[in-house]
């Protein structure tokens, strides 16, 4: 099977270069790596790569950048793997992904286990990631080997290209595109299973540069959830608890916010989105006006 890795990126030149060098150590090399960015200023390429490497440029935003690379790739590759530019996969990651699709014809989406996630704290370093992967290498994961999910975590997700069809990432989910990964992969469940294979592992560094403002992100935490419920792509049983947990966390921690999270900005964004929804206005792209 032909396998491509797509890396959307924004404002992280050095990080992308390091990830590209690191992918050269995969036990199954990608048939091509495609970096999707707004323009060349966002990309720094290593001097040589043991795999074909290409760049695509287009509109800024997670959904738009994913689509810019996805659309021309569907006919060329059997498997398309998306990595965030701050995701560090185990060296066997792509080999295990290919094996999962080859052995399971009914699987539409495969993601791996995030053994450490810097998105939940101040962020992780490459050294943290490499240590975590060394620690978990060869260890048996507690629990079932395969777990079905509503949708996949966008930092690491792979699709069977033949199942994608006309589906695209929703470009109304602008900029950081909160929940655009769940929206897309949840719709893939009509074609096949969306699973986490727990033996496939990686670390999400959770780098804070290149993110949107706290107020914009807070607005998306509410507006995007309601928009996707209305769209019918994400069940309310998933989106509403996530939305309420985020609002509660922003409210509870706004008095003593973490130095790396703009809790008060997020809370202001939450409240503005709630006001707009009460007025019947469900407009994810409103964050462009904030």
């Amino acid at each position: 099977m032909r396998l491509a890795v797509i890396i959307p990126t924004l404002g992280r030149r050095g990080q992308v270069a390091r990830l590209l060098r690191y992918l050269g150590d995969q036990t199954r090399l990608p048939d091509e790596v495609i970096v999707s960015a707004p323009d060349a200023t966002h990309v720094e390429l290593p001097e040589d790569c043991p795999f074909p490497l290409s760049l695509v440029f287009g509109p800024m935003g997670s959904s738009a950048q994913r689509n810019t690379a996805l659309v021309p790739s569907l006919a060329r590759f059997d498997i398309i793997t998306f990595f965030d530019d701050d995701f560090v996969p185990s060296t066997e990651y792509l080999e295990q992904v290919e094996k999962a699709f080859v052995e399971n014809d009914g699987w539409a989406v495969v993601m791996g286990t995030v053994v450490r996630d810097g998105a939940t704290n101040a962020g992780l370093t490459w050294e943290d990631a490499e240590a975590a992967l060394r620690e978990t290498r060869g260890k048996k994961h507690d629990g079932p080997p395969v777990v079905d999910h509503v949708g996949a975590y966008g930092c690491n997700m792979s699709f069977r290209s033949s199942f994608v069809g006309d589906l695209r990432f929703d470009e109304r989910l602008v900029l950081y595109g909160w929940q655009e990964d769940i929206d897309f992969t949840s719709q893939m469940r009509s074609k096949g299973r969306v699973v986490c294979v727990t033996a496939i592992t990686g670390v999400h560094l959770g780098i804070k540069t290149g993110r949107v403002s706290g107020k914009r992100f807070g607005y998306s935490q509410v507006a995007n959830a309601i928009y996707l419920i209305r769209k019918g792509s994400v069940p309310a049983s998933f989106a509403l608890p996530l939305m309420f947990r985020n609002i509660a966390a922003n409210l509870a921690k706004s008095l003593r916010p973490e130095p790396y999270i703009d809790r008060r900005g997020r809370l202001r964004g939450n409240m503005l989105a709630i006001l707009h929804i009460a007025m019947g206005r469900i407009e994810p792209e409103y964050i462009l006006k904030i």
Side-chain angles (χ1 to χ4, degrees):
M1 301 182 83
R2 286 183 54 78
L3 185 154
V5 171
I6 296 175
I7 306 171
T9 191
L10 177 73
R12 297 177 179 172
R13 289 170 53 88
Q15 174 65 21
V16 172
R18 185 163 189 177
L19 176 57
L20 290 172
R21 289 193 296 269
Y22 181 82
L23 290 178
D25 293 330
Q26 286 287 304
T27 55
R28 191 270 192 230
L29 290 174
D31 294 296
E32 187 172 339
V33 174
I34 304 162
V35 179
S36 181
D39 57 60
T41 65
H42 295 267
V43 183
E44 176 184 328
L45 300 181
E47 291 185 3
D48 57 85
C49 284
F51 45 76
L53 177 62
S54 61
L55 306 178
V56 294
F57 303 129
M60 182 178 68
S62 179
S63 293
Q65 288 175 229
R66 291 186 191 277
N67 285 336
T68 298
L70 174 69
V71 172
S73 302
L74 288 172
R76 299 175 54 220
F77 300 99
D78 304 296
I79 301 168
I80 294 177
T81 295
F82 278 95
F83 286 148
D84 277 5
D85 58 15
D86 60 348
F87 182 77
V88 183
S90 66
T91 54
E92 303 85 9
Y93 189 103
L94 296 180
E95 179 183 352
Q96 291 173 300
V97 162
E98 182 179 42
K99 183 174 184 286
F101 280 114
V102 167
E103 295 180 354
N104 300 277
D105 291 341
W107 288 7
V109 181
V110 172
M111 64 176 172
T113 302
V114 179
V115 295
R116 290 194 66 187
D117 192 352
T120 64
N121 52 44
L124 303 171
T125 65
W126 271 87
E127 290 70 29
D128 294 330
E130 290 168 349
L133 291 173
R134 282 196 302 271
E135 184 179 335
T136 58
R137 186 170 293 126
K139 285 189 177 180
K140 187 175 180 180
H141 182 85
D142 293 333
V146 177
V147 181
D148 286 273
H149 282 257
V150 168
Y153 189 5
C155 67
N156 80 113
M157 55 184 181
S158 301
F159 312 137
R160 189 184 298 276
S161 299
S162 60
F163 285 7
V164 172
D166 295 331
L167 183 61
R168 301 292 182 264
F169 289 91
D170 191 337
E171 296 189 24
R172 288 194 66 186
L173 305 177
V174 296
L175 301 181
Y176 185 57
W178 177 244
Q179 297 299 298
E180 99 288 356
D181 48 0
I182 299 295
D183 171 53
F184 185 96
T185 54
S186 181
Q187 294 178 80
M188 290 282 286
R189 285 188 296 134
S190 66
K191 304 292 183 66
R193 291 175 66 184
V194 176
V195 302
C196 174
V197 178
T198 54
I200 303 174
T201 59
V203 174
H204 185 211
L205 301 182
I207 294 173
K208 302 302 185 270
T209 59
R211 301 294 180 99
V212 299
S213 72
K215 188 175 182 180
R216 281 177 163 178
F217 188 67
Y219 190 93
S220 295
Q221 286 179 319
V222 174
N224 289 14
I226 301 302
Y227 168 73
L228 295 177
I229 292 170
R230 287 280 299 271
K231 179 180 173 181
S233 60
V234 178
S237 59
F238 175 88
L240 288 180
L242 175 64
M243 182 185 77
F244 288 128
R245 284 196 302 271
N246 287 327
I247 294 171
N250 295 334
L251 183 61
K253 298 178 181 181
S254 61
L255 294 177
R256 294 180 127 186
E258 307 95 322
Y260 49 86
I261 296 180
D262 180 11
R263 291 288 181 186
R264 293 169 186 168
R266 289 187 182 186
L267 185 60
R268 287 194 295 271
N270 293 162
M271 296 301 105
L272 179 59
I274 290 170
L275 174 62
H276 282 185
I277 290 165
M279 297 166 60
R281 182 177 186 176
I282 302 174
E283 186 182 350
E285 55 269 63
Y286 181 81
I287 64 171
L288 297 173
K289 303 174 185 177
I290 295 177

